[in-house]
């Protein structure tokens, strides 16, 4: 049952829905991973990386809401449940316990890289079916790439 009627064809709606759902999963998990690292980071660069992690969390949460609302707007029900996120995310799991600051940076570089790779694929796949969704995904990708740049600069 779909309460919201989409202006997209069934074929395009399927492509767009998959792109938005994948983006939602990756963004929810990115926020969780960054917050887990934020709580457990230790080391001489604790404060700067700790604050930087909160910026990633804020970006991921903001964009996850935008992506989920875009999905709803086109008639796709977003699924951000824990089980769905755990089963479908591209991000590796975070180790338990304290995380050295250098390891925290590496974890974020890897997590952001995985999400950005998939976001760029989604940007490409939504070009023809729905430029509006593509625009949303382009903005998400741009913001994530800025965070990736900053964490990469931190890792040298």
């Amino acid at each position: 049952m779909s309460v919201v009627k989409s202006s997209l064809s069934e074929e395009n709606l399927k492509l767009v829905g998959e792109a938005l759902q994948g983006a939602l999963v990756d963004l929810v998990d990115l926020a969780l991973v960054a917050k887990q690292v934020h709580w457990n980071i230790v080391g001489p660069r604790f404060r700067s990386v700790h604050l930087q992690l909160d910026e990633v969390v804020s970006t991921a949460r903001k964009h996850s809401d935008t992506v989920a609302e875009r999905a709803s707007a086109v008639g796709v029900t977003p699924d951000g449940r824990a089980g769905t996120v755990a089963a479908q995310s591209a991000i590796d799991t975070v180790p338990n316990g304290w995380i050295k600051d250098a390891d925290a940076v590496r974890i974020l570089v890897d997590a952001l890289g995985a999400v950005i790779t998939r976001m760029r694929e989604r940007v490409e796949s939504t070009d023809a079916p729905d430029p509006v969704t593509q625009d949303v995904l382009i903005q998400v990708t741009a913001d994530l790439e800025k965070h990736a740049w900053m964490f990469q600069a931190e890792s040298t």
Side-chain angles (χ1 to χ4, degrees):
M1 172 182 108
S2 180
V3 175
V4 178
K5 303 298 180 209
S6 178
S7 59
L8 301 174
S9 70
E10 284 298 316
E11 180 183 348
N12 287 347
L13 184 59
K14 183 178 183 326
L15 290 168
V16 169
E18 288 171 359
L20 289 166
Q21 178 58 38
L24 176 61
V25 162
D26 285 348
L27 289 166
V28 168
D29 200 24
L30 181 61
L32 292 170
V33 163
K35 197 48 122 169
Q36 181 67 24
V37 174
H38 168 89
W39 292 324
N40 290 287
I41 187 173
V42 294
R45 296 182 311 182
F46 164 82
R47 181 158 173 73
S48 63
V49 177
H50 182 80
L51 295 172
Q52 201 173 346
L53 288 161
D54 263 345
E55 293 172 10
V56 173
V57 171
S58 178
T59 296
R61 286 179 177 166
K62 176 185 82 169
H63 284 307
S64 65
D65 192 51
T66 301
V67 164
E69 289 178 355
R70 178 66 189 155
S72 293
V74 297
V76 174
T77 56
D79 185 356
R81 297 173 298 164
T84 302
V85 172
Q88 297 176 6
S89 176
I91 302 172
D92 287 336
T93 58
V94 175
N96 191 26
W98 301 116
I99 301 170
K100 292 231 174 236
D101 51 7
D103 294 334
V105 169
R106 181 193 45 77
I107 289 167
L108 262 293
V109 167
D110 292 348
L112 286 161
V115 173
I116 289 165
T117 296
R118 289 178 26 145
M119 285 298 177
R120 285 191 159 275
E121 291 167 359
R122 294 176 185 120
V123 165
E124 197 172 308
S125 73
T126 55
D127 177 31
D130 186 20
V132 176
T133 293
Q134 183 190 44
D135 188 52
V136 168
L137 297 175
I138 287 169
Q139 186 57 59
V140 170
T141 305
D143 288 350
L144 294 178
E145 286 178 341
K146 182 176 180 183
H147 287 299
W149 157 55
M150 291 184 176
F151 274 100
Q152 288 173 45
E154 187 80 29
S155 69
T156 59

